[in-house]
Amino acid sequence: MTDLERWRLILGEPASRCTGGLQAEAARRDAALQWLYGRDPELAERGVRKGGSEDSVLQTVDWLDEVHTLFPRETIERLERDAVERYEITDVVTDPDVLQRIEPNPALLRAVLRTKHLMNPAVLAMARKIVEAVVRQLMEKLKTEVRTAFSGTRSRRPSIHRNSRNFDFRSTIRANLQRYQPEERRLSIEHAKFVSRTRRNLEQWQVVLLVDQSGSMTSSVIHSAVTAACLWGLPGLKTHLVAFDTNVVDLTSDVTDPVELLMKVQLGGGTDIARAVTYGAGLVDNPRRSIVAIISDFYEGGDDAQLVRTVKGLCEQGTHVLCLAALDEEANPDYDRVLGQRLANVGAHVGAMTPGELAEFVAEKLR
């Protein structure tokens, strides 16, 4: 592809009079891009011809075949994400022919959760495979972070258990220095040294995850379900998962199966954080050994004064209250900062944490 063709693809059809036309594969790329981005309403405002409505345009399944043929993987993922999230082309996740071709990714998982009520049973069964694939990827990643956070610290005491994770590099060098071979510049190791790991006597703690399931919080619901599944069954830890909008639903019984849990979640509706926190407060057995994590954008549709009072009561009795803000596409906190400040003023920790950072926080408290 020539530089002029690249500029033509970047700038769009109005640039043709300067760059010239497109040939062969470049023209196919342009048609695929036009099918998607020609829907942008800003084009009409600038007087640029919009695409996507003529009889000859590609159907979704054909468009997917084209982009998988014409573009690299990174570009394909971006195009699919924009189709689902930016332009809400729902047949990406409701058409069985499309579902057979598309690569599971987090954007599609979010789309499935938003549109599963539109699917017939056969399509829903296919969509569930996308949920399973993406959840499996997220579980593998987070399990590693959780294991790291909850593993015991290395002790200076020697160990007879030979494990690469417990290899003591410094002690091994010291013990074998007399076997250094200067002419070969190498150290012959006869006795490798290992350290043991301490095991802490953990007292029971509770973690109550209260997750906003309004439409803007899809990613947080997904990561909370996976986080709860990874925390479930850890020694010394009792985990609850509660979803809320204007209603409160205790999903703790489904925590061990995050796929089933996510398929039950009903996204959308209003937000009543105060009601959810009141419910969560009722789950607390030992206030000084409890963590209540509220994951929301904190745009309260209920009684914000009641919310502040309930959070204040939890903090005064010794409960750790985390008010974890929603994150936007650039991972910046996106929440009502005025209400967040009011909650911080009564003792809550207000900010943003990734699932791995939340696991580290919980692990520190257990220690």
Side-chain angles (χ1 to χ4, degrees), residues 138-140 142-144 146 225-234 255:
L138 294 172
M139 287 282 289
E140 288 302 314
L142 187 57
K143 275 182 179 178
T144 301
V146 170
V226 175
T227 301
C230 291
L231 294 176
W232 185 266
L234 287 171
V255 162

Side-chain angles (χ1 to χ4, degrees), residues 105-351:
N105 62 64
L108 289 174
L109 171 54
R110 291 191 292 270
V112 167
L113 297 185
R114 293 190 188 112
T115 59
K116 64 182 187 291
H117 63 285
L118 303 175
M119 301 176 186
N120 62 45
V123 174
L124 191 61
M126 297 177 66
R128 186 186 179 94
K129 294 180 180 179
I130 290 177
V131 177
E132 291 172 349
V134 180
V135 166
R136 186 166 56 248
Q137 295 167 7
L138 294 172
M139 287 282 289
E140 288 302 314
K141 180 178 183 296
L142 187 57
K143 275 182 179 178
T144 301
E145 296 179 9
V146 170
R147 280 196 296 267
T148 300
F150 281 83
S151 61
T153 56
R154 284 160 59 104
S155 167
R156 291 185 179 277
R157 292 183 291 118
S159 172
I160 61 173
H161 301 291
R162 295 171 172 266
N163 187 311
S164 60
R165 186 162 161 263
N166 298 332
F167 179 64
D168 190 337
F169 175 78
R170 294 181 182 277
S171 295
T172 299
I173 295 295
R174 284 196 298 268
N176 294 276
L177 276 176
Q178 69 273 24
R179 296 179 180 83
Y180 179 66
Q181 301 167 10
E183 56 285 349
E184 297 184 18
R185 302 186 66 181
R186 62 184 294 183
L187 181 69
S188 176
I189 295 177
E190 183 174 326
H191 303 292
K193 301 293 183 180
F194 298 85
V195 295
S196 63
R197 285 186 176 259
T198 60
R199 283 188 176 272
R200 299 180 180 86
N201 182 20
L202 300 179
E203 298 186 51
Q204 185 78 17
W205 274 73
Q206 270 183 290
V207 175
V208 181
L209 299 177
L210 305 174
V211 188
D212 188 340
Q213 64 173 356
S214 59
S216 61
M217 297 293 297
T218 312
S219 293
S220 294
V221 172
I222 294 168
H223 286 106
S224 298
V226 175
T227 301
C230 291
L231 294 176
W232 185 266
L234 287 171
L237 190 63
K238 181 180 180 182
T239 305
H240 306 263
L241 180 63
V242 178
F244 68 91
D245 41 35
T246 52
N247 297 306
V248 177
V249 182
D250 195 323
L251 298 170
T252 304
S253 61
D254 293 310
V255 162
T256 55
D257 186 354
V259 174
E260 183 63 29
L261 188 155
L262 289 171
M263 296 304 286
K264 289 182 177 179
V265 166
Q266 298 296 324
L267 296 170
T271 308
D272 192 337
I273 309 172
R275 175 181 290 188
V277 175
T278 299
Y279 179 87
L283 297 174
V284 173
D285 296 326
N286 184 347
R288 295 189 177 277
R289 293 199 173 275
S290 297
I291 299 168
V292 175
I294 311 160
I295 304 170
S296 176
D297 55 13
F298 296 98
Y299 290 101
E300 174 64 297
D303 188 338
D304 56 351
Q306 179 189 343
L307 170 62
V308 174
R309 286 195 301 270
T310 306
V311 169
K312 181 180 180 182
L314 284 168
C315 294
E316 288 177 344
Q317 68 184 13
T319 300
H320 298 275
V321 180
L322 305 180
C323 296
L324 304 182
L327 301 177
D328 64 17
E329 291 300 322
E330 284 73 43
N332 298 312
D334 178 22
Y335 65 102
D336 185 335
R337 296 175 186 274
V338 174
L339 181 55
Q341 185 61 59
R342 291 173 64 190
L343 295 170
N345 291 343
V346 297
H349 303 274
V350 179

